[in-house]
């Protein structure tokens, strides 16, 4: 078997194990299934009804923000899952087996991708029930979902670095949220950054989450004239910018996470 | 340790005894292995040789370097310098090939609590690339062998400590390894589970695979291992069969337990003249052990001296040296009490130790 084939083959076996675990831990089930439903409902009814924009649906605009926020929050599992497996000695057992050295990371990121698919399906169903619609072609809609998942996958590698650097599983979640919260909220997820103070606005405009949110809105036909994207390049060229962000994140963080993993386990 | 237990077990030993053939192939070799961490030198020129088909007990106190040695052999860490090989394969140059032939069971049972017993073993089989069918068949076989068939469908969370350990052992055997490495297989187990684990290991040993077993329990090494290597401060300080090590220490031991720990120093001074060597006192069990040349009359003489000195004695006996004495003589501290004792004074005689080949 080729090196890549081995890494992916072993990765898939490990991903299945991770998913089985997820289904058996009530906490993890909560975060990947119940939370997305709750977020969708809360945002749709509370904010959606509080902010009335004549002629257009704020709920449609809002829900893409909820989708992005959910996959971003889900990426925390990557770091905490890795830290926990290392701490418990499970990774040592895996490493004593003739598996590819990359398979633990590949398995973890694959299972988190599957987890995100699950969350998105749940959110789409909930969203459709509360009146959200995709106003674009099937091809564009599919591209939107692929973009969302690709971004989530790239982000998993970023949070893998956090988990492998912090190491103590209890601390990983907190450390991750310190990165994720600003990423999610200093962005165009729920409001237009136009009204932000100058510094925050520039951060929001160049935040990868903003580019991805704008791109997915465009692909789903959920843009809203009441909330213009702004003039910054990444928001005017959101699909291209998202693609570039994803590539940059993977190019930087896949090797970074791999070297962190080597350091974390070789003790 | 009750000697009957040890003898009872030894009946189950393989007929094969090391040293029978002129040239023995070494299944595990370490030469001058050094591994340093930021503040500690875990292995400090560590040497070891384990003959194929034998059981080597690697004995040492907490922090002596046992686990580091195991991690080097299992390719989990790379040594800073020195040479290590398993089944003739260099662990640094070709770790993948080493992983194909070893089975490792760690200090804490590295099994997945959320998976069932069956799922744990099947997972390991899949990662050994046995294929779906192969992994399933092997998992069922091992569950049967380790008496876990009934618990196969239960999650590990619901297993007792002993059952977990058995499953962890089973996990190390999925690929029928040439070399089996068990890192403190019974640490933290209660006595009953320890007995059961020993029995399971005993059966493995009988099947003739090479086994490296680390332990801080002298009884465990005495009972399971053909040969014992003693490690302290990252160095091999003795190596031989249990009997050889005991003979090395020599003679008999007079052991007295005092009523009051405050009398220990006094008792040592009082007993020194009848001893063959320096009496050693241990605080936590209020005990003084004196090496003596011959058993005759010494017990009475020792007790009389203590009585005359006004030291109250709770218990006194003369016995053959145990591995505990060996350990004490070699390292200056007791094996399982090393942590409480802090830094033991290293005995000078360790430098004259001839490596046993």
């Amino acid at each position: 078997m080729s090196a890549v084939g081995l890494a992916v083959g072993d990765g898939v076996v490990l991903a299945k194990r991770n998913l089985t675990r997820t289904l058996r831990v009530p906490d993890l089930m909560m975060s990947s299934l119940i939370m997305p439903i709750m977020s969708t409902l809360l945002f749709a009814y509370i904010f959606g009804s509080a902010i009335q924009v004549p002629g257009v649906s704020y709920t449609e605009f809002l829900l893409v923000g909820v989708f992005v926020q959910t996959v971003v929050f889900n990426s925390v599992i990557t770091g905490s899952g890795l830290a926990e497996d290392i701490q418990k000695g499970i990774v040592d057992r895996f490493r004593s087996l003739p598996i590819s050295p990359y398979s633990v990371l590949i398995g973890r990121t694959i299972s988190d991708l599957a987890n995100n698919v699950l969350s998105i399906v749940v959110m789409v169903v909930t969203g459709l029930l509360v009146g959200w619609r995709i106003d674009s072609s099937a091809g564009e809609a599919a591209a939107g979902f692929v973009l969302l998942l690709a971004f989530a996958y790239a982000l998993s590698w970023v949070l893998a670095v956090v988990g492998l650097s912090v190491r103590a599983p209890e601390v990983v979640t907190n450390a991750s949220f310190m990165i994720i919260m600003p990423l999610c909220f200093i962005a165009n997820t729920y409001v237009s950054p136009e009204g932000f103070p100058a510094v925050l606005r520039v951060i929001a405009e160049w935040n990868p989450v903003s580019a991805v949110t704008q791109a997915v809105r465009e692909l789903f036909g959920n843009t809203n004239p009441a909330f213009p994207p702004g003039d910054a390049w990444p928001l005017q060229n959101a699909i291209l910018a998202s693609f570039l962000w994803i590539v940059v994140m993977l190019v930087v963080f896949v090797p970074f996470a791999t070297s962190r993993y080597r350091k974390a386990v070789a003790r | 340790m009750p000697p009957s237990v040890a003898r009872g077990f030894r009946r189950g030993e393989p007929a094969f005894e090391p040293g029978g053939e002129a040239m023995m192939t070494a299944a595990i070799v370490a030469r001058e292995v050094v591994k340093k961490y930021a503040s500690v030198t875990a292995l400090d020129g560590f040497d070891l040789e384990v003959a194929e088909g034998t059981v080597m007990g690697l004995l040492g106190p907490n922090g002596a370097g046992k686990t580091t040695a195991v991690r080097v052999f299992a390719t989990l860490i790379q040594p800073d310098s020195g040479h290590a090989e398993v089944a003739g394969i260099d662990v640094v140059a070709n770790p993948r090939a080493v992983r194909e032939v070893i089975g490792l069971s760690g200090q804490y049972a590295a099994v997945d609590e959320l998976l069932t017993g069956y799922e744990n073993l099947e997972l390991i089989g899949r990662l050994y690339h046995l294929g779906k069918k192969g992994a399933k068949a092997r998992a069922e076989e091992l569950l049967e062998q380790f008496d876990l068939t009934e618990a196969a469908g239960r999650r590990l969370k619901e297993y007792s400590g002993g059952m977990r350990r058995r499953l962890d052992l089973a996990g190390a055997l999925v690929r029928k390894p040439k070399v089996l490495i068990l890192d403190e297989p019974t640490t933290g187990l209660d006595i009953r589970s320890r007995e059961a684990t020993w029995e399971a290991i005993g059966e493995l040993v009988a099947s003739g695979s090479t086994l490296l077993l680390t332990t801080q329990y002298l009884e465990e090494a005495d009972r399971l291992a053909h040969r014992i290597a003693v490690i302290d401060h990252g160095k091999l300080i003795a190596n031989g069969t249990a009997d050889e090590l005991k003979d090395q220490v020599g003679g008999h031991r007079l052991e007295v337990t005092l009523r009051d720990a405050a009398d220990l120093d006094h008792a040592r001074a009082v007993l020194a003249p009848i001893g063959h060597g320096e009496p050693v006192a241990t605080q936590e069990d209020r005990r003084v052990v004196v090496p003596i040349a011959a058993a005759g009359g010494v017990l009475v003489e020792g007790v009389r001296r203590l009585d005359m000195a006004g030291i109250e004695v709770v218990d006194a006996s003369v016995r053959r040296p145990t591995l505990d004495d060996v350990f004490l003589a070699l390292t200056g501290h007791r094996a399982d009490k090393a942590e409480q004792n802090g830094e033991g004074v290293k005995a000078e005689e360790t430098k004259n130790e001839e490596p046993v080949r």
Side-chain angles (χ1 to χ4, degrees):
Chain A
M1 214 188 307
S2 72
V4 176
L6 183 75
V8 174
D10 292 339
V12 169
V13 171
L14 289 173
K16 270 192 204 155
R17 171 250 174 194
N18 295 341
L19 285 173
T20 309
R21 286 176 61 84
T22 307
L23 295 175
R24 289 177 189 176
V25 181
D27 275 8
L28 291 177
M29 276 291 278
M30 271 287 275
S31 63
S32 38
L33 292 181
I34 317 287
M35 277 294 281
I37 297 177
M38 269 177 54
S39 308
T40 310
L41 292 178
L42 285 176
F43 277 90
Y45 284 114
I46 293 177
F47 292 101
S49 59
I51 302 170
Q52 295 293 336
V53 186
V56 285
S57 161
Y58 181 55
T59 306
E60 285 201 347
F61 175 82
L62 204 59
L63 276 198
V64 172
V66 176
F67 290 178
V68 175
Q69 184 202 296
T70 301
V71 300
V72 171
F73 275 35
N74 276 355
S75 64
V76 174
I77 306 171
T78 309
S80 58
L82 283 170
E84 198 188 324
D85 282 349
I86 290 175
Q87 192 200 40
K88 288 203 168 155
I90 302 256
V91 170
D92 275 352
R93 156 132 294 162
F94 293 154
R95 287 177 64 239
S96 77
L97 306 174
I99 59 172
S100 158
Y102 306 102
S103 55
V104 171
L105 289 175
I106 290 176
R108 175 46 70 183
T109 51
I110 291 180
S111 62
D112 294 340
L113 184 65
N115 198 41
N116 274 319
V117 172
L118 210 65
S119 291
I120 289 176
V121 169
V122 166
M123 284 189 296
V124 164
V125 172
T126 320
L128 289 172
L129 289 177
V130 299
W132 166 76
R133 293 291 180 268
I134 292 177
D135 305 315
S136 64
S137 68
E140 281 173 310
F145 285 118
V146 169
L147 185 69
L148 199 54
L149 287 170
F151 179 65
Y153 186 75
L155 201 61
S156 271
W157 288 92
V158 180
L159 273 297
V161 170
V162 177
L164 294 167
S165 305
V166 178
R167 285 181 193 157
E170 320 80 66
V171 187
V172 171
T173 310
N174 287 333
S176 301
F177 272 102
M178 279 163 62
I179 295 171
I180 276 173
M181 292 295 269
L183 207 57
C184 266
F185 291 104
I186 309 176
N188 59 357
T189 31
Y190 301 116
V191 290
S192 167
E194 294 284 274
F196 287 4
V199 178
L200 288 186
R201 198 182 68 217
V202 174
I203 296 175
E205 282 168 353
W206 289 86
N207 183 345
V209 167
S210 296
V212 171
T213 308
Q214 178 60 27
V216 176
R217 276 182 187 141
E218 286 173 16
L219 288 166
F220 285 175
N222 287 162
T223 49
N224 192 321
F227 302 96
D231 299 329
W233 183 86
L235 301 179
Q236 285 299 321
N237 306 277
I239 297 173
L240 177 61
S242 301
F243 178 74
L244 290 176
W245 269 119
I246 290 165
V247 170
V248 168
M249 280 159 73
L250 288 173
V251 166
V252 173
F253 284 94
V254 170
F256 192 15
T258 308
S259 96
R260 277 275 139 197
Y261 171 75
R262 290 221 168 106
K263 279 214 181 94
V265 294
R267 291 189 310 149
Chain B
M1 173 193 68
S4 59
V5 175
R7 269 188 222 112
F9 185 76
R10 282 187 189 282
R11 269 186 281 126
E13 250 184 34
F16 170 79
E17 274 294 322
E21 288 165 46
M23 281 299 285
M24 201 48 89
T25 343
I28 297 179
V29 177
R31 288 202 206 298
E32 287 290 309
V33 172
V34 175
K35 179 68 189 177
K36 288 185 175 130
Y37 291 107
S39 55
V40 241
T41 302
L43 292 178
D44 190 9
F46 176 68
D47 293 297
L48 187 71
E49 200 161 304
V50 183
E52 210 172 272
T54 67
V55 181
M56 174 66 85
L58 184 58
L59 184 66
N62 258 334
K66 299 189 298 289
T67 296
T68 308
V70 162
R71 291 176 68 80
V72 167
F73 293 131
T75 74
L76 296 178
I77 51 172
Q78 293 200 348
D80 298 332
S81 65
H83 172 78
E85 61 184 60
V86 175
I89 309 160
D90 189 313
V91 298
V92 177
N94 205 350
R96 267 293 300 283
V98 171
R99 288 174 204 145
E100 296 277 1
V101 298
I102 59 165
L104 172 71
S105 172
Q107 193 171 133
Y108 33 84
V111 286
D112 196 319
E113 296 204 322
L114 294 172
L115 299 188
T116 66
Y118 170 79
E119 285 168 339
N120 264 289
L121 293 180
E122 200 242 9
L123 174 65
I124 295 171
R126 291 301 302 274
L127 294 174
Y128 269 121
H129 310 121
L130 300 183
K132 253 186 188 153
K133 268 192 185 164
K136 182 177 191 288
R138 187 65 183 136
E140 280 163 1
E141 215 171 282
L142 284 165
L143 287 164
E144 175 83 41
Q145 187 187 333
F146 284 85
D147 207 12
L148 290 167
T149 305
E150 261 176 59
R154 267 189 276 153
R155 293 182 199 174
L156 265 286
K157 271 204 297 209
E158 297 160 33
Y159 277 36
S160 69
M163 286 163 76
R164 260 177 216 230
R165 210 61 74 106
R166 291 213 305 278
L167 190 87
D168 198 56
L169 263 177
L173 295 175
V174 167
R175 185 63 173 278
K176 296 178 182 155
K178 277 190 195 162
V179 177
L180 185 60
I181 303 173
L182 305 180
D183 190 16
E184 305 204 5
T186 64
T187 297
L189 288 187
D190 59 44
I191 294 169
R192 248 192 56 220
S193 308
R194 185 173 298 167
E195 275 300 324
T197 308
W198 280 349
E199 247 161 62
I201 295 173
E203 279 164 30
L204 298 182
V205 169
S207 70
S209 55
T210 308
L211 168 61
L212 176 67
L213 165 96
T214 79
T215 180
Q216 32 180 330
Y217 302 117
L218 298 151
E219 186 186 354
E220 188 163 285
D222 208 0
R223 178 160 166 177
L224 295 176
H226 294 121
R227 296 180 78 83
I228 295 167
V230 184
I231 180 174
D232 198 29
H233 300 287
K235 278 199 180 83
L236 182 75
I237 58 173
N239 179 356
T241 64
D243 285 340
E244 278 169 9
L245 291 177
K246 288 173 191 171
D247 285 347
Q248 224 168 297
V249 177
H252 287 71
R253 291 289 178 278
L254 166 64
E255 187 177 283
V256 293
T257 307
L258 309 181
R259 168 84 58 207
D260 186 355
D263 290 332
L264 281 173
D265 280 341
H266 191 189
R268 258 174 14 131
V270 167
L271 294 175
I274 62 168
H276 198 55
E278 203 54 28
V280 185
T282 44
Q283 195 77 31
E284 61 276 356
D285 51 8
R286 308 183 310 280
R287 201 180 292 177
V288 179
V289 176
V290 191
I292 50 176
V298 182
L299 179 60
V300 177
E301 175 67 19
V303 173
R304 194 167 60 215
R305 277 167 183 258
L306 289 170
D307 189 41
M308 272 161 56
I311 300 168
E312 206 176 333
V313 176
V314 181
D315 189 29
S317 62
V318 167
R319 53 170 173 76
R320 285 269 298 149
T322 61
L323 275 181
D324 216 344
D325 300 314
V326 174
F327 204 83
L328 195 59
L330 290 173
T331 67
H333 51 76
R334 299 271 291 272
D336 42 1
K337 303 280 164 42
E339 269 186 327
Q340 291 100 301
N341 281 0
E343 285 295 305
V345 186
K346 226 168 161 183
E348 276 304 303
E349 68 224 62
T350 61
K351 284 185 186 147
N352 308 327
E353 215 67 67
E354 278 294 315
V356 183
R357 284 180 202 280

